[in-house]
Structure formats: C-alpha cells, structure tokens
Amino acid sequence: MVLFLWLQKLRQLFSSLEILYLFIASILHYLFFWGVLRATEAADAQIVGAINFWYYWWTTVLTIGYGDLAPASLSGRLVTPFFEFTGVLLFMAWLAKTGIWLTDQIS
C-alpha cells in the first residue's frame, strides 16, 4: 500500500512537469554543455564542431557513448560527468512524461 501511494505521488510529480519546461531545460542543457566544452577545449578540437557535438550530446544523454569523441582537456573531462548525469536525468524525465501520457491515453 505504501509503495502504491509513493508511486502515485511520483506520478503526480512527473505529470506536473510540462513538456515546454522539459523542452526548454533540454535546450539549455545542450547549449550550456556546448558552451562549456567550447570554452575548455582547443579551438580546433573535433568535439566542439556543431555536428560533432550534436552527435556527442545525443550519444552521452542516451548513455550509448561510443567513445569516438571525448573531451581532451582536463577541465573538459572534469565537467563532462556532471553534464552527462544531468542529461540522463533529463532523458529519464522525458521517458516518464511519455509513459504517463501513454498510460493516460490507454485508460
């Protein structure tokens, strides 16, 4: 019974997150992470190119992480785990919101 109440509270929390806020948070996460890497990496680093960073951001947020792109500087390597962790949290919020929407459509 306690587990059911906890899950119900958790569902209310995630259903209160609006898609707009998740979208804005995702865009800000992407832009801030890119800005930090552009500031910490060399100007000619492959990871700071627009297309390469887009690919790198998606593979780290989705926890695939092929390893073909990685920060080379010490400061870039120190801040990347924070951004990866927060990106995974954003992705989980998207999954939760989508799951809640799907269950509401079914029932």
Side-chain angles (χ1 to χ4, degrees), residues 28-49:
L28 289 175
H29 182 270
Y30 174 84
L31 292 174
F32 191 61
F33 188 16
W34 191 23
V36 167
L37 280 184
R38 286 180 64 91
T40 59
E41 296 296 312
D44 61 342
Q46 190 178 21
I47 196 170
V48 296

Short mmCIF file of all heavy atoms in Angstrom, two decimals, residues 28-49:
data_model
loop_
_atom_site.label_atom_id
_atom_site.label_comp_id
_atom_site.label_asym_id
_atom_site.label_seq_id
_atom_site.Cartn_x
_atom_site.Cartn_y
_atom_site.Cartn_z
N LEU A 28 18.55 24.27 -22.98
CA LEU A 28 19.54 24.95 -22.14
C LEU A 28 20.68 24.02 -21.75
O LEU A 28 21.84 24.44 -21.72
CB LEU A 28 18.86 25.53 -20.89
CG LEU A 28 17.96 26.72 -21.12
CD1 LEU A 28 17.26 27.13 -19.84
CD2 LEU A 28 18.73 27.89 -21.71
N HIS A 29 20.36 22.78 -21.48
CA HIS A 29 21.40 21.80 -21.15
C HIS A 29 22.36 21.64 -22.32
O HIS A 29 23.58 21.66 -22.15
CB HIS A 29 20.76 20.46 -20.80
CG HIS A 29 21.73 19.41 -20.41
ND1 HIS A 29 22.29 18.55 -21.32
CD2 HIS A 29 22.26 19.09 -19.21
CE1 HIS A 29 23.12 17.74 -20.69
NE2 HIS A 29 23.12 18.05 -19.41
N TYR A 30 21.80 21.48 -23.50
CA TYR A 30 22.62 21.32 -24.70
C TYR A 30 23.51 22.53 -24.91
O TYR A 30 24.72 22.41 -25.10
CB TYR A 30 21.71 21.10 -25.92
CG TYR A 30 22.44 21.07 -27.22
CD1 TYR A 30 23.03 19.89 -27.67
CD2 TYR A 30 22.57 22.21 -28.02
CE1 TYR A 30 23.72 19.85 -28.87
CE2 TYR A 30 23.25 22.18 -29.21
CZ TYR A 30 23.82 20.99 -29.63
OH TYR A 30 24.50 20.96 -30.81
N LEU A 31 22.92 23.73 -24.88
CA LEU A 31 23.68 24.95 -25.16
C LEU A 31 24.74 25.23 -24.09
O LEU A 31 25.86 25.63 -24.40
CB LEU A 31 22.74 26.14 -25.29
CG LEU A 31 21.84 26.12 -26.52
CD1 LEU A 31 20.84 27.28 -26.47
CD2 LEU A 31 22.64 26.14 -27.80
N PHE A 32 24.39 25.02 -22.83
CA PHE A 32 25.35 25.26 -21.76
C PHE A 32 26.51 24.27 -21.82
O PHE A 32 27.67 24.65 -21.67
CB PHE A 32 24.64 25.19 -20.41
CG PHE A 32 25.46 25.69 -19.27
CD1 PHE A 32 25.92 27.00 -19.24
CD2 PHE A 32 25.78 24.86 -18.22
CE1 PHE A 32 26.69 27.47 -18.19
CE2 PHE A 32 26.55 25.31 -17.16
CZ PHE A 32 27.00 26.62 -17.15
N PHE A 33 26.21 23.00 -22.06
CA PHE A 33 27.25 21.98 -22.18
C PHE A 33 28.17 22.30 -23.36
O PHE A 33 29.39 22.22 -23.26
CB PHE A 33 26.59 20.62 -22.33
CG PHE A 33 27.53 19.44 -22.28
CD1 PHE A 33 28.82 19.54 -21.78
CD2 PHE A 33 27.10 18.19 -22.70
CE1 PHE A 33 29.66 18.44 -21.73
CE2 PHE A 33 27.92 17.09 -22.65
CZ PHE A 33 29.21 17.22 -22.16
N TRP A 34 27.59 22.68 -24.47
CA TRP A 34 28.39 23.03 -25.65
C TRP A 34 29.26 24.25 -25.36
O TRP A 34 30.44 24.28 -25.71
CB TRP A 34 27.47 23.28 -26.84
CG TRP A 34 28.18 23.40 -28.16
CD1 TRP A 34 29.41 22.90 -28.50
CD2 TRP A 34 27.68 24.02 -29.34
NE1 TRP A 34 29.70 23.18 -29.80
CE2 TRP A 34 28.65 23.87 -30.35
CE3 TRP A 34 26.51 24.69 -29.64
CZ2 TRP A 34 28.49 24.37 -31.63
CZ3 TRP A 34 26.34 25.17 -30.92
CH2 TRP A 34 27.33 25.02 -31.90
N GLY A 35 28.69 25.23 -24.70
CA GLY A 35 29.46 26.42 -24.35
C GLY A 35 30.62 26.11 -23.42
O GLY A 35 31.73 26.64 -23.59
N VAL A 36 30.39 25.26 -22.45
CA VAL A 36 31.47 24.89 -21.52
C VAL A 36 32.56 24.14 -22.26
O VAL A 36 33.76 24.41 -22.07
CB VAL A 36 30.90 24.07 -20.34
CG1 VAL A 36 32.02 23.41 -19.55
CG2 VAL A 36 30.06 24.95 -19.44
N LEU A 37 32.19 23.21 -23.13
CA LEU A 37 33.22 22.48 -23.88
C LEU A 37 33.95 23.38 -24.86
O LEU A 37 35.16 23.24 -25.05
CB LEU A 37 32.62 21.28 -24.60
CG LEU A 37 32.38 20.04 -23.74
CD1 LEU A 37 31.88 18.88 -24.59
CD2 LEU A 37 33.62 19.63 -22.99
N ARG A 38 33.24 24.32 -25.46
CA ARG A 38 33.92 25.26 -26.37
C ARG A 38 34.92 26.13 -25.61
O ARG A 38 35.95 26.50 -26.14
CB ARG A 38 32.90 26.13 -27.10
CG ARG A 38 32.15 25.39 -28.19
CD ARG A 38 31.14 26.27 -28.90
NE ARG A 38 31.77 27.36 -29.63
CZ ARG A 38 32.14 27.30 -30.91
NH1 ARG A 38 31.96 26.19 -31.57
NH2 ARG A 38 32.68 28.34 -31.49
N ALA A 39 34.60 26.43 -24.35
CA ALA A 39 35.50 27.26 -23.54
C ALA A 39 36.69 26.46 -23.01
O ALA A 39 37.76 27.02 -22.79
CB ALA A 39 34.73 27.88 -22.38
N THR A 40 36.51 25.16 -22.80
CA THR A 40 37.57 24.37 -22.18
C THR A 40 38.43 23.61 -23.18
O THR A 40 39.56 23.26 -22.86
CB THR A 40 36.98 23.36 -21.17
OG1 THR A 40 36.08 22.50 -21.85
CG2 THR A 40 36.28 24.08 -20.04
N GLU A 41 37.91 23.35 -24.35
CA GLU A 41 38.66 22.58 -25.34
C GLU A 41 39.40 23.52 -26.30
O GLU A 41 39.07 24.69 -26.41
CB GLU A 41 37.71 21.67 -26.15
CG GLU A 41 37.03 20.60 -25.32
CD GLU A 41 37.99 19.60 -24.74
OE1 GLU A 41 38.86 19.10 -25.48
OE2 GLU A 41 37.89 19.31 -23.54
N ALA A 42 40.35 22.96 -27.00
CA ALA A 42 41.09 23.73 -28.01
C ALA A 42 40.13 24.15 -29.12
O ALA A 42 39.13 23.47 -29.39
CB ALA A 42 42.23 22.90 -28.57
N ALA A 43 40.45 25.25 -29.77
CA ALA A 43 39.57 25.79 -30.81
C ALA A 43 39.40 24.83 -31.97
O ALA A 43 38.35 24.80 -32.62
CB ALA A 43 40.12 27.12 -31.31
N ASP A 44 40.41 24.01 -32.25
CA ASP A 44 40.33 23.08 -33.37
C ASP A 44 39.92 21.67 -32.93
O ASP A 44 40.00 20.72 -33.71
CB ASP A 44 41.65 23.04 -34.12
CG ASP A 44 42.81 22.56 -33.25
OD1 ASP A 44 42.67 22.59 -32.01
OD2 ASP A 44 43.85 22.18 -33.82
N ALA A 45 39.46 21.52 -31.70
CA ALA A 45 39.05 20.19 -31.21
C ALA A 45 37.84 19.70 -31.99
O ALA A 45 36.91 20.47 -32.28
CB ALA A 45 38.74 20.25 -29.73
N GLN A 46 37.85 18.44 -32.30
CA GLN A 46 36.79 17.85 -33.12
C GLN A 46 35.45 17.87 -32.39
O GLN A 46 34.41 18.05 -33.01
CB GLN A 46 37.17 16.41 -33.47
CG GLN A 46 36.29 15.78 -34.50
CD GLN A 46 36.75 14.37 -34.84
OE1 GLN A 46 37.45 13.74 -34.07
NE2 GLN A 46 36.34 13.90 -36.00
N ILE A 47 35.46 17.77 -31.07
CA ILE A 47 34.22 17.66 -30.31
C ILE A 47 33.41 18.95 -30.28
O ILE A 47 32.21 18.92 -30.07
CB ILE A 47 34.53 17.17 -28.87
CG1 ILE A 47 33.25 16.67 -28.20
CG2 ILE A 47 35.18 18.26 -28.05
CD1 ILE A 47 33.50 15.96 -26.91
N VAL A 48 34.03 20.09 -30.50
CA VAL A 48 33.29 21.36 -30.39
C VAL A 48 32.64 21.79 -31.70
O VAL A 48 31.94 22.80 -31.73
CB VAL A 48 34.19 22.49 -29.84
CG1 VAL A 48 34.61 22.18 -28.43
CG2 VAL A 48 35.36 22.76 -30.72
N GLY A 49 32.82 21.04 -32.76
CA GLY A 49 32.11 21.33 -34.00
C GLY A 49 30.62 21.10 -33.82
O GLY A 49 30.21 20.26 -33.03
#
